[in-house]
Amino acid sequence: MAEIVENAETQAFVKDITRMSVDFDRWYTDVVRKAELADYTPVRGCMVIRPYGYALWEHIQRAFDDMIKATGHENWYFPLLIPEDLLVKEAEHVEGFTPEVAWVTEAGSHGRLDQRLAIRPTSETIIGTLIRRYIQSHRDLPQLTNQWCNVLRWEMRTRLFLRTAEFLWQEGHTFHATAEEARREVDLILDLYRRLAEEWLAMPVLPGLKSRAETFAGAVYTKSIEAMMLDGLALQAGTSHYFGQNFSRAYDIAFTNRENQREHCYSTSWGISTRLIGGLIMTHGDDTGLVLPPRVAPVQVVVVPIFRDGPARERVRAAIEGWRPEVEAAGVRLKVDWSEDRPGEKYNRWELKGVPLRIEVGPRDLEAGQVTIVDRLTRERRSLPMAGLGPRLRAELEDFQARLFRRALEFRDRHTYELATLAEVVDHFRRGTGFVWAPWCEDPACEIRVKEETGGVTIRNYDPDQPATGGCLVCGRPARRRVVLARSY
RNA sequence: CGGGGAGUAGCGCAGCCCGGUAGCGCACUUGGCUGGGGGCCAAGGGGUCCCGGGUUCAAAUCCCGGCUCCCCGACCA
């Protein structure tokens, strides 16, 4: 287990959450439930996403949706149900997914269906089938489609956000006239994912290529972004796949090129899901609960009014209403907590919910013409003048976002190692976690060997442009790749 | 999907062995005192004891089946 931020102060504050150092998995579940992000339901693997969690998703969604719109992509909606004969056309793809596909076999008074219908585990097959109608000429390309939807995969072990049977995601599916252009699309999206993770979620990631063993079913290659969680495990936070003509051949998605010849399209697909929320929690959280990056926090600044009696309450209210419009005009998502709870309870509740900044406004502040501001990371109290609060809070939030990213990056760096041999790797993962860079010859047998000897450590990904030096950690033959190894979610 | 544990008020749990009026803490409601880090006093409300069968005069308790959650091992965004 990685080191955990813990001191007497934090211990005194938290009664509701299992401490990270005691049980990381329970800590995670406690945070998800106590922060009111999500909860269990009567159906295994299906969760209810509560308003605070859904608001988080909406901010992530908005950020990424804007990015893909700006790069020419369009949103569609494709059906939930996929006829069996259609699903099974791409052999490798089917083989990869059938173990976790759920089927609709009968319907109401209709009784048994002639052909069972799959509930989409992903939509390559249905989208391919439908999109071919709209592609005739190279002039119809590229088709840059995306949809925001739910999918269902019958998972064995489930965890809130990280691996649920039903989850929300975005799946992009694009069709191109040339391999070159499709490959560029895969890289473009991977970079948008990197930016979403780093700039919005303050979550540092390693973009790279997946090994053959970890490649998506039916893909020529898969690229991913990999993040490090606070327990040192890797989280695959987004994937972007290049299919070449695999799907286009299976589903006959073709166009007439400039030479008047019929040619199959080159396609890609890519996705991020509500899993990102799990990643967010495990990247920034602490023993007192969530810590949210301002750019996606549903509430960026919470205001706790302090007063003793009616008149004092009124003065505090007037002061807050005085600067509130300016703050909101500055684009700050502000919440004033007028609930009847005591201030201490409010502090704890909003810290648990990860709100970046808290403002306290009481009689002492009014006299001084200031507010008290407390930071979720440092818990330091400072005073800010009421005048000019809008721009000032904007700046504070930007600073908070930057500090959060820096903190996560430093954590990752502290838990990243460079090792040369299998023996060292086995020894390392016997005692700890984290990322380990190591040289690899690219032989799948060596990859399997690593997984077996370490009990589950896998190659997360690698930079295909980066040269490797030395000998393979397993067989000693000249290395072709410098790969990152980790246990993963 | 195999091995282990759990499900009783919103939450955390006791009661179950040894069948007989369903309990405790927190939360909740009302009133008062309070209010800058989870406050105090008083009075209240709240239960398909996970679901379905069985045994019994009688089941939270015993038996059988199922569902969900947690932990440990094989597949996965």
Side-chain angles (χ1 to χ4, degrees):
Chain A
M1 170 112 23
E3 75 212 46
I4 262 79
V5 181
E6 189 186 324
N7 54 46
E9 196 181 33
T10 59
Q11 288 177 30
F13 282 137
V14 179
K15 293 192 280 211
D16 303 334
I17 304 175
T18 307
R19 280 188 284 135
M20 276 187 188
S21 54
V22 172
D23 186 335
F24 191 83
D25 295 343
R26 274 188 63 188
W27 168 83
Y28 175 80
T29 305
D30 286 349
V31 170
V32 170
R33 301 182 72 188
K34 298 286 163 79
E36 301 182 345
L37 296 177
D39 212 338
Y40 297 110
T41 68
V43 185
R44 176 193 174 75
C46 293
M47 61 176 171
V48 50
I49 303 177
R50 302 180 62 186
Y52 196 64
Y54 200 81
L56 201 45
W57 178 238
E58 286 177 310
H59 286 295
I60 294 170
Q61 210 173 12
R62 168 73 72 86
F64 188 67
D65 202 57
D66 286 348
M67 289 183 194
I68 56 175
K69 297 270 177 64
T71 46
H73 301 80
E74 294 177 303
N75 283 329
W76 293 54
Y77 186 77
F78 295 95
L80 170 73
L81 300 175
I82 305 175
E84 178 164 23
D85 61 354
L86 204 152
L87 187 76
V88 300
K89 284 186 183 172
E90 213 289 330
E92 220 179 285
H93 184 67
V94 189
E95 202 185 321
F97 274 102
T98 38
E100 47 195 55
V101 171
W103 297 94
V104 176
T105 57
E106 59 177 87
S109 53
H110 226 270
R112 199 152 190 90
L113 303 178
D114 295 338
Q115 183 180 216
R116 56 181 188 162
L117 302 168
I119 299 172
R120 65 181 163 217
T122 178
S123 304
E124 276 75 8
T125 62
I126 185 77
I127 292 179
T129 301
L130 295 173
I131 202 108
R132 62 189 294 281
R133 300 174 186 171
Y134 312 116
I135 300 173
Q136 266 101 47
S137 151
H138 68 270
R139 294 191 181 86
D140 298 323
L141 295 174
Q143 287 282 337
L144 306 176
T145 77
N146 179 69
Q147 77 169 340
W148 293 94
C149 66
N150 58 343
V151 287
L152 190 73
R153 299 179 186 178
W154 216 259
E155 297 287 351
M156 294 302 166
R157 270 189 78 178
T158 63
R159 287 190 73 191
L160 296 169
F161 289 117
L162 290 177
R163 178 169 296 103
T164 46
E166 181 189 18
F167 57 90
L168 303 184
W169 77 343
Q170 152 285 124
E171 50 178 326
H173 298 266
T174 68
F175 302 84
H176 306 263
T178 67
E180 167 63 14
E181 187 182 293
R183 289 170 184 274
R184 275 204 307 272
E185 170 76 8
V186 169
D187 290 341
L188 168 74
I189 296 297
L190 193 73
D191 196 55
L192 296 184
Y193 284 163
R194 183 194 60 75
R195 284 180 46 202
L196 178 72
E198 298 194 337
E199 296 170 14
W200 290 77
L201 308 181
M203 181 192 295
V205 292
L206 298 175
L209 190 63
K210 284 289 197 183
S211 69
R212 194 59 224 158
E214 302 280 327
T215 297
F216 182 76
V220 174
Y221 61 77
T222 291
K223 291 189 172 185
S224 73
I225 52 170
E226 303 281 333
M228 185 191 288
M229 303 294 100
L230 283 165
D231 59 357
L233 302 204
L235 183 78
Q236 180 172 299
T239 48
S240 186
H241 316 289
Y242 173 68
F243 292 123
Q245 294 171 308
N246 289 357
F247 274 89
S248 297
R249 286 205 191 91
Y251 292 84
D252 192 28
I253 309 160
F255 65 101
T256 305
N257 65 20
R258 284 186 175 79
E259 286 76 43
N260 199 31
Q261 285 160 340
R262 222 172 120 72
E263 196 179 341
H264 284 112
C265 296
Y266 297 82
S267 66
T268 79
S269 82
W270 26 276
I272 47 168
S273 70
T274 36
R275 172 180 257 200
L276 280 177
I277 294 174
L280 203 55
I281 297 164
M282 291 194 292
T283 298
H284 302 303
D286 62 24
D287 277 343
T288 60
L290 275 181
V291 179
L292 294 178
R295 293 187 81 178
V296 295
V299 177
Q300 294 172 319
V301 179
V302 66
V303 181
V304 177
I306 313 282
F307 50 85
R308 282 163 212 279
D309 49 26
R313 179 191 157 104
E314 187 46 38
R315 286 197 300 278
V316 167
R317 195 197 61 77
I320 292 169
E321 292 311 316
W323 46 255
R324 183 181 191 155
E326 182 207 338
V327 170
E328 287 177 343
V332 175
R333 291 191 287 272
L334 187 81
K335 162 144 186 106
V336 186
D337 186 352
W338 283 111
S339 71
E340 290 177 42
D341 300 314
R342 305 170 67 77
E345 280 187 73
K346 296 181 185 179
Y347 301 164
N348 286 300
R349 179 166 60 247
W350 292 108
E351 281 176 16
L352 169 56
K353 297 187 105 174
V355 173
L357 299 176
R358 176 174 78 241
I359 285 179
E360 302 168 15
V361 186
R364 294 207 291 270
D365 297 300
L366 295 190
E367 273 175 44
Q370 63 183 34
V371 299
T372 300
I373 182 170
V374 183
D375 187 286
R376 176 62 179 80
L377 280 182
T378 63
R379 237 185 234 99
E380 280 166 10
R381 277 195 161 71
R382 287 174 296 147
S383 296
L384 293 183
M386 283 193 206
L389 210 46
R392 185 60 198 266
L393 286 176
R394 268 262 56 92
E396 291 282 346
L397 289 168
E398 275 165 35
D399 179 61
F400 190 96
Q401 180 89 24
R403 275 156 47 212
L404 210 52
F405 180 75
R406 217 177 305 128
R407 191 174 79 139
L409 191 60
E410 282 165 10
F411 179 87
R412 190 185 74 184
D413 289 347
R414 276 204 308 284
H415 298 278
T416 297
Y417 313 86
E418 182 105 33
L419 298 176
T421 68
L422 181 59
E424 288 171 352
V425 168
V426 168
D427 184 57
H428 174 88
F429 284 107
R430 202 177 351 246
R431 287 169 303 158
T433 55
F435 286 178
V436 171
W437 289 101
W440 177 46
C441 66
E442 227 173 357
D443 184 342
C446 290
E447 181 179 11
I448 290 169
R449 186 82 192 284
V450 171
K451 191 170 179 178
E452 285 173 353
E453 298 283 325
T454 54
V457 171
T458 52
I459 295 174
R460 300 318 304 161
N461 66 17
Y462 57 87
D463 181 348
D465 299 325
Q466 190 183 41
T469 54
C472 172
L473 83 158
V474 178
C475 66
R477 288 176 293 180
R480 301 187 55 184
R481 305 298 184 187
R482 181 169 174 266
V483 300
V484 63
L485 302 169
R487 285 193 200 285
S488 69
Y489 275 95

